[in-house]
Structure formats: C-alpha cells, structure tokens
C-alpha cells in the first residue's frame, strides 16, 4: 500500500551486496606492569559497531567489577570503556585491546542499585530510566503526564540517589505503545479488529515457520490473519507483556509457509538479515515502520525500564524491563517494527515511546536476542545461514539513497550508518484502536514500490 506522507527524516541504505558480518577475533593479552609504557602509547582501534560490541563483551568479562559500561563513538569509530578501578593493570588490559579508557565515579553495581531504588519508589506511569554510559549516570525520563505529586515523588527519589547518580529529562510526548498503521496482520476481538505488524520471520524450536512481533499484540489476541476480514493464518505460541520484555512468537498455521529472513524497506527492495546482534550505546541504527517508513537514529541506553499507563486499568502501570532506548522517531502504526543495521543485523522490535517524526522523541525496542533466547526460535527459515552469530549474509538490496556504497558500514557520514542488528517487520499494537503492522503477507503487500513497508517479507505455498 502507499503511504499518505513521506517521513521527514529518511535513512538511506547503501545499494549493493551486504558485507559479511563475522567479527574478527579479538585477542586480549594478559597485561602486567612491564606493558604500561606500551599500552600508554597504543592507539585506540578503529572499529565497526558490531566489532565494538564484541570487544565490549570481552572486556566486560575480563575486567569484572572494574567495568562500568561502554559506548561506541561513531565519530571516531572507537569503543570507549568506563572503568572505576585505579589499578593500572585494568587500564593496560583495555588499552591493549584497542579501547579508549575513561575512569568514572559510578560502578555498574552502584548504577544497578540506583535503578532498583527507582523501581521500588518511582514506578510511575509515564516514566522510564536507563543507564547512559556516556555520562556514567542513570537517565530518568518523565513524559508530559508526570506532574504535581507524581513529579515531586520522582524528583525526590532521584535526589535521594545522591549527587552524580541520575538526571531527569522531560519529554513533551506521552509514553505509549504505538497503535494504528499500515501493512498489517489482523485479529478479530470484541469491539473490532486489532492490527499489529509482523516482525522477524523465524523458525520455532520445533522447526515450524513463525514470526516475532510485539508482546502486547500476542497478549491481545490469539489468532491472526493477513487481511482484516480474512481467515486466520497464524496462532500465538507465547507472549510476554508487561514484565521482562515485550515480544510474542506467532506460528504459521500452514507448515509449508516459507519465512525468509529479510526486511521489506519499500520500493520493491529488501535487506537480508543474517544475524541477531546486541545493541551498543552510540550505535547508528535504522527503524522501519508502516506509518513513518524508514528512519534513522542512535542507541542512547540499554536495559531500559519503561512504565506505560495500563491499557486496562486507569490507575495501573504496565512496566517493561530490558529494553533498548533510542532517539529514533516513531508514530502510531510503527509498533513492533524492526530496529536493524545497514549491514543486516537484527537488533530489536518496536515496543513504544513518545513523540513523533516531526518533533522527535524516544522510542524503546525489545532486544531480538532476548526474544530469540526466550522463545527458542532462530531467525529466518530452517537451514538458513547462521542467524545468531556472525555468518555471511546473502546480500540485500538497498534503498536507493545517499549512502556511499564504498564507504564502511559504520561511516558516520552515511545517512544509513548502522552497525548492529536489524530486524524485519514493523509490529503494531494490540488492544484498542486501529493498529498497524507490516510485513509482506501472503503476497498481499504492495511490492511495486508505491510505498514503504515495514515488515519481514514472507511467501506462502498454497
């Protein structure tokens, strides 16, 4: 289908073959005092974001309690590691590995303790918090509904954490799971049709074809169709929302359904998805949505907690934990859509947020790696290339755009600079309202390029 508006902020995907995503092995030498001079003169490595994420994971394990977070500097294409220990051996280890080392005040344990305090004392609808390693603080965000006594309670809790532990940011919008939309999967419930978007095509643990979408969709309805009045084609196998995530696994009723792992980005083009990857703060990412199309932005926080106003209880809170926080815009109809990278890695499923693509805002995503682990599913059709590691990609068509195909995937000058994971499908939300979705559904989606589609393409054998 064609869309009524063109997103103000478009991201371009480089045309041409997609490079292999396998990260090179990163050797972390055993440092000692004799290495100090060598480490002091070592230049930080230039890395792609996916490689930076791998290096950060290794350093986290190596440095233990001294590790206090990390982020990717997309401008210099370097990994920055926060450490709280003055032990020179720690600094030597990180520098020898090629990271930029920064000594900070707050340890990971202290930041986690502060987050638990917020959960206990300030679980207020319209609030969220996530650790920002760039400031070594917890960034607390309050939307426009947090006023009066609720604001005073939140502010008092933040102040009680101590100086330099957390900051508060006001958001002009309202935190919500995004509803209504475009290319969709449907379910008939009492009161009308629910519309949600197909996310990643996957293979369930029993080998059957399935897809991932937002958990609030799976909670709202059990059976899904590829048209508003059509017969159901898929059934919810499991769903999580609220709580520790926002994801659902939905299995196709036709066991012969082919479920390729790709993101339909409109214009008759798609991006092949070869693996799921962990997001990195500072990483450039792309988001596809059925309402706003293709948009870009940056990961701003990890392990975020979001307190949505309950859809069923006016006085209740739907708290979701473990999300990716970004500054990518989104609007109603984009929920469940893919957060991915230019070079074809799956990062997340759109959960919700505030703002729009005119004024901006915050958008939160369910990490794909967590959803895959929890459901036991793997990306794409059975027998496909390594979907959860660093296997080679089959290559993906790009959206014609400004990005330089010859430039590195992480070149910050490219509009579509994305270096982590990608996922197909823009999910829509459940519950009330007109919810949208994405996904090439049984060939019903417009592939002629008349509009941007937010979905993981799939085909069905009849």
């Amino acid at each position: 289908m064609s869309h009524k508006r063109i997103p103000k902020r478009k991201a371009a995907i480089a045309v041409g073959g997609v490079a292999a995503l396998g990260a090179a092995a990163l050797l972390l030498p055993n440092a000692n005092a004799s290495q100090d001079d060598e480490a002091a003169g070592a230049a930080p490595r230039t890395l792609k974001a996916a490689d930076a994420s791998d290096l950060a994971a290794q350093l986290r394990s190596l440095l233990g309690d001294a590790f206090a977070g990390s982020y990717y500097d997309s401008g210099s294409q370097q990994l920055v590691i926060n450490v709280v220990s003055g032990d020179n051996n720690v600094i030597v280890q990180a520098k020898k590995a090629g990271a930029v080392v920064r000594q900070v005040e707050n340890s990971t344990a202290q930041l986690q303790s502060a987050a638990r305090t917020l959960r206990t004392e300030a679980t207020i609808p319209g609030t969220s918090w996530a650790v920002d390693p760039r400031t070594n603080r917890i960034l607390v965000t309050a939307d426009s509904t947090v006023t009066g006594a609720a604001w005073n309670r939140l502010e008092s809790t933040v102040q009680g954490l101590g100086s330099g532990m957390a900051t508060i940011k006001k958001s002009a919008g309202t935190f919500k799971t995004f509803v209504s939309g475009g290319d969709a999967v449907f379910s008939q419930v009492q009161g009308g049709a629910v519309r949600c978007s197909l996310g990643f095509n996957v293979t369930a643990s029993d080998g059957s074809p399935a897809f991932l979408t937002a958990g609030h969709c799976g909670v709202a309805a059990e059976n899904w169709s590829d048209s508003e009045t059509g017969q159901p084609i898929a059934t919810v196998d499991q769903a999580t929302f609220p709580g520790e995530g926002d994801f659902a696994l939905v299995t196709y009723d036709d066991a012969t359904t082919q479920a390729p792992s790709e993101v339909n980005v409109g214009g008759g083009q798609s991006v092949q998805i070869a693996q799921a990857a962990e997001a990195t703060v500072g990483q450039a990412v792309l988001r596809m949505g059925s309402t706003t199309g293709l948009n870009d932005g940056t990961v701003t926080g990890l392990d975020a907690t979001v307190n949505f106003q309950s859809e069923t209880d006016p006085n209740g809170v739907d708290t979701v934990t473990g999300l990716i926080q970004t500054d990518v815009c989104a609007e109603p109809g984009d929920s469940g859509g893919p957060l991915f990278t230019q070079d074809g890695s799956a990062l997340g499923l759109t959960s919700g947020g505030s703002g729009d693509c005119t004024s901006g805002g915050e958008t939160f995503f369910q990490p794909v790696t967590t959803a895959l682990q929890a459901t036991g599913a793997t990306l794409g059709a059975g027998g496909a290339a390594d979907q959860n590691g660093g296997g080679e990609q089959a290559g993906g068509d790009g959206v014609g755009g400004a990005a330089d195909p010859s430039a590195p995937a992480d070149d910050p000058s490219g509009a579509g600079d994305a270096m982590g994971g990608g996922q197909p499908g823009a999910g829509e939300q459940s519950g009330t309202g007109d919810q949208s979705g994405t996904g090439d559904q049984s060939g019903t989606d417009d592939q002629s390029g008349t509009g941007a589609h937010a979905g993981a393409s799939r085909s069905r054998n009849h």
Side-chain angles (χ1 to χ4, degrees), residues 50-66:
D51 293 344
S53 179
D54 290 341
L55 177 57
Q58 294 183 52
L59 286 171
R60 182 186 303 114
S61 176
L62 181 70
L63 303 181
D65 293 342

Side-chain angles (χ1 to χ4, degrees), residues 323-408:
L323 302 182
I324 302 166
Q325 183 169 350
T326 75
D327 61 8
V328 184
C329 72
E331 295 182 9
D334 291 330
S335 185
L339 183 73
F340 60 104
T341 65
Q342 177 181 342
D343 54 3
S345 292
L347 289 183
L349 303 162
T350 307
S351 175
S354 67
D356 55 40
C357 287
T358 299
S359 61
E362 297 82 28
T363 302
F364 300 90
F365 296 85
Q366 164 65 49
V368 170
T369 51
T370 304
L372 291 172
Q373 182 177 19
T375 60
T378 55
L379 281 174
D386 180 10
Q387 301 292 352
N388 301 311
E392 287 195 4
Q393 305 183 65
D397 294 333
V399 171
D404 179 1
S406 65

Side-chain angles (χ1 to χ4, degrees), residues 32 43 66 72 97 105 110 169 183 194 211 223 272 312-313 322 451:
N32 53 51
Y72 182 71
E105 294 296 325
Q110 290 171 320
K169 170 188 173 184
D183 301 38
V194 173
F211 64 86
N223 302 112
Q272 296 292 325
T312 58
D313 180 2

Side-chain angles (χ1 to χ4, degrees), residues 215 240-247 319-323 366 370:
T240 297
F241 180 86
E244 297 181 358
D246 184 4
F247 57 89
T319 299
V320 183
T321 61
L323 302 182
Q366 164 65 49
T370 304

Side-chain angles (χ1 to χ4, degrees), residues 278-318:
E278 300 289 347
T280 302
V281 172
Q283 179 178 21
V285 291
L286 302 173
R287 178 197 59 76
M288 190 65 190
S290 60
T291 298
T292 58
L294 192 65
N295 288 270
D296 69 321
T298 304
V299 175
T300 59
L302 301 176
D303 197 22
T305 295
V306 187
N307 299 302
F308 296 111
Q309 174 66 58
S310 173
E311 292 280 343
T312 58
D313 180 2
N315 299 315
V317 182
D318 286 338

